Amino acid sequence: MLKQKISSVVVLSKDIFFRFQRLNTAKQIWDAINNAHEEFIARSDPHTQMLRAMFAGFRSLRKESAMELTDRLTNIVERLHQRGVTDITDKDVVNKLLSDLDETFDPIIAEIKQRPDYEELHYVEIMTLLSLHEERWILKMLIKNLL
């Protein structure tokens, strides 16, 4: 079995070979090769590369609301997922989102990061928390300006 397994993946690069070495059946090896091919296609596609660059360089625009910011970011992420990209996780999106907010969000960012479930939060939950914080902050500023 091991000889068959090795001969099945001998045309693969060393790093991919080690990825498949732990697999036991031809079906597992075939599925892994198929997944690696799909990942390769997703990475080499120019449109996917452009979307990856947009995600990597994502920044908040001036005077952009939390909802607008998260809408733009989730649009990029959803388009990447539609193209088969699986290595950008909810955690990556949450970290990107929290790192690109202005200082008015510092209190809610600290509160979010202190939550025991912070590592498991989905970016939609973060979007809701940020929007609520932003609405409270805007209301506070309006009241302050009225006084």
Side-chain angles (χ1 to χ4, degrees):
M1 177 71 167
L2 182 59
K3 189 174 184 180
Q4 291 171 330
K5 189 162 104 172
I6 291 172
S7 65
S8 298
V9 293
V10 85
V11 295
L12 301 173
S13 66
K14 208 176 204 179
D15 60 326
I16 293 177
F17 171 77
F18 288 123
R19 226 167 114 181
F20 298 145
Q21 188 175 15
R22 62 178 164 67
L23 304 175
N24 296 319
T25 67
K27 178 167 179 16
Q28 288 175 332
I29 293 171
W30 177 253
D31 289 344
I33 291 170
N34 200 19
N35 288 340
H37 174 70
E38 287 174 5
E39 288 173 15
F40 173 77
I41 296 300
R43 284 195 181 108
S44 60
D45 173 40
H47 188 74
T48 303
Q49 288 176 346
M50 179 197 65
L51 290 168
R52 282 183 179 279
M54 288 171 67
F55 180 80
F58 186 83
R59 297 287 176 259
S60 175
L61 300 176
R62 188 171 182 181
K63 296 190 179 191
E64 183 176 39
S65 73
M67 186 64 80
E68 292 168 331
L69 177 78
T70 53
D71 283 348
R72 276 192 319 110
L73 183 59
T74 55
N75 183 305
I76 294 168
V77 171
E78 287 169 3
R79 288 168 52 199
L80 281 164
H81 288 170
Q82 289 169 353
R83 300 190 77 75
V85 173
T86 57
D87 61 328
I88 296 177
T89 64
D90 287 345
K91 184 179 176 183
D92 296 328
V93 178
V94 166
N95 289 335
K96 175 66 81 175
L97 186 58
L98 294 180
S99 68
D100 287 332
L101 295 165
D102 64 38
E103 66 278 350
T104 61
F105 290 93
D106 287 350
I108 191 68
I109 292 171
E111 186 180 315
I112 290 169
K113 288 184 176 181
Q114 290 173 359
R115 290 175 56 143
D117 63 342
Y118 168 66
E119 295 292 322
E120 290 84 39
L121 285 174
H122 190 272
Y123 56 84
V124 174
E125 295 170 284
I126 299 292
M127 180 177 67
T128 303
L129 294 169
L130 294 173
S131 293
L132 289 171
H133 172 78
E134 186 174 46
E135 288 173 12
R136 280 187 239 126
W137 185 82
I138 290 170
L139 185 62
K140 184 179 174 181
M141 289 293 109
L142 287 172
I143 291 170
K144 184 179 176 181
N145 287 337
L146 288 175
L147 298 178

